[in-house]
Amino acid sequence: MSVPYWRLSGFYFFYFATLGGFLPYWSLYLKDSGFNADQIGELSALLVGTKIIAPNLWGWVADYTGKSLRIIRIASLFAVVIFAGFLVDRDYLWFAWFTIGFSFFWNAALPQFEAVTLFHLKSEPHRYSQIRLWGSVGFIATVLGIGWLLEKQSISMLPAIITVLLALIWIVTLMTPDAHASDRETEPVGLMQILKKPEVLAFLIVYLLLQIAHGPYYVFYSIYLKQYHYSTTITGILWALGVCAEIVLFIYMRRLLKRYSLRHILLFSIVLAVVRWLMIAWCANHLWLLIFAQLLHAATFGSAHAAAIHLVHLYFGRQHQGKGQALYSSLSYGVGGMTGSLYSGYYWESMGPAFVYSMAAVACGFAFVIAYLWIGFENTQHQSL
């Protein structure tokens, strides 16, 4: 196998293992540190807000220099060093500045590694899901392990655990070989020409709305479950269950891509997202319905994300792949994630969780309308395989 499968998979494993320690439990750690809902929302917004600038800056540098992997290694190293600052103090301003510094480098790594992975895969982008699924495995490993550990130990040890995981990401990047776009694929198409296409603009808006909807899930889902007296073990299992469903989706994604167009996959994913957020909003006191809602993560994130990676690969080509991945990340996870974090933080206590998650469903409704009217993927279905 010419593709360095296990080294590429290793990066995704440890990157999302870190996320598995971060997403479900960081808001609980912030609450334990004495921060209120507004402050938790603001700190979470800062964490994702740097995605508006950082991925685009690093993506431009990567495409201009052709040194994507070197940038990933530098960003991963600085992410470790800066995150270690959370071990020192729990002051709000201290947390805010270190959140900005850490996330500026942390948010630079993944979009560029997506580009490196696709460069390695060359004419076989359908194999992306087979590599990316190991990120989901890493997420499950830590979300269950840390959930079990926090039943027995203080949550104050969470920053130390995440620091170790970040260090492992950096080590894996040192072992991963670089890859570049093929010299024969130097399309003269300018980036602005691509961005002016209505379908590309619609694509970016749709994924921005989908991440606005995910904001309250990433920030407050664990706190929400605690309000209903679910243990941290149950909380970890629910998070892991969603990612298990995602893994199954990634395993069968190649077959789905052969059978269905990206348009149909995306539209179906958005419909299920509306159902999921409404179930979380109004059925949290029924564990079996929460379990079903978590299984829908296979669609709301898994198939939607896989479709997005293929679309960026198609829309931006190899010449602009780094910038394309960065733009997708910055607008969806950056602007969308920051907006979702802020609105959920500000309305969590005043309007209540049901309202916040219902608004997430409304955002997905708008995303469906835009995708249905403007995104027609049928002509690109077979090019993506």
Side-chain angles (χ1 to χ4, degrees), residues 41-57:
E42 289 165 359
L43 289 171
S44 300
L46 289 175
L47 184 68
V48 296
T50 54
K51 288 186 178 181
I52 300 171
I53 299 174
N56 290 301
L57 173 62

Side-chain angles (χ1 to χ4, degrees), residues 51-218:
K51 288 186 178 181
I52 300 171
I53 299 174
N56 290 301
L57 173 62
W58 295 114
W60 181 87
V61 173
D63 282 344
Y64 182 79
T65 63
K67 304 292 185 182
S68 296
L69 197 59
R70 182 176 297 180
I71 289 171
I72 293 167
R73 289 166 178 164
I74 293 171
S76 299
L77 176 60
F78 274 92
V80 181
V81 173
I82 296 175
F83 190 87
F86 289 116
L87 298 168
V88 178
D89 199 353
R90 293 193 180 188
D91 177 72
Y92 177 76
L93 288 179
W94 179 274
F95 262 61
W97 282 113
F98 273 83
T99 296
I100 293 171
F102 156 70
S103 59
F104 181 79
F105 293 99
W106 164 255
N107 289 328
L110 183 60
Q112 297 314 309
F113 202 86
E114 301 276 30
V116 168
T117 299
L118 291 171
F119 289 155
H120 274 293
L121 294 177
K122 298 177 182 177
S123 61
E124 301 178 294
H126 58 267
R127 294 176 61 188
Y128 167 82
S129 296
Q130 299 169 2
I131 294 172
R132 171 59 180 80
L133 68 85
W134 286 101
S136 303
V137 174
F139 187 98
I140 291 172
T142 52
V143 79
L144 289 178
I146 293 176
W148 173 82
L149 186 63
L150 294 182
E151 290 283 353
K152 305 175 182 300
Q153 303 292 332
S154 170
I155 199 170
S156 61
M157 67 187 303
L158 184 63
I161 296 173
I162 295 176
T163 301
V164 172
L165 292 170
L166 287 167
L168 291 172
I169 296 174
W170 174 64
I171 291 171
V172 170
T173 65
L174 299 178
M175 298 186 292
T176 304
D178 206 349
H180 304 280
S182 175
D183 292 336
R184 59 186 173 85
E185 295 192 45
T186 55
E187 303 93 335
V189 180
L191 181 62
M192 291 307 300
Q193 289 178 269
I194 297 172
L195 294 177
K196 287 179 181 178
K197 295 178 181 179
E199 186 166 331
V200 176
L201 290 174
F203 160 74
L204 294 172
I205 293 172
V206 164
Y207 277 90
L208 182 148
L209 288 169
L210 291 180
Q211 287 308 309
I212 288 177
H214 276 79
Y217 172 67
Y218 291 142

Side-chain angles (χ1 to χ4, degrees), residues 314-349:
L314 291 170
Y315 289 150
F316 292 89
R318 291 182 176 271
Q319 184 183 15
H320 300 295
Q321 193 59 211
K323 292 188 285 289
Q325 294 290 348
L327 189 62
Y328 158 65
S329 177
S330 64
L331 287 180
S332 60
Y333 296 96
V335 177
M338 182 179 68
T339 304
S341 298
L342 285 174
Y343 99 81
S344 59
Y346 291 142
Y347 290 107
W348 187 259
E349 293 181 347

Side-chain angles (χ1 to χ4, degrees), residues 216-217 219-225 238-239 280 290 294 357:
Y217 172 67
V219 179
F220 286 104
Y221 187 63
S222 295
I223 293 175
Y224 186 44
L225 294 178
L238 285 171
W239 278 91
I280 291 176
L290 284 181
Q294 286 303 90
Y357 284 111

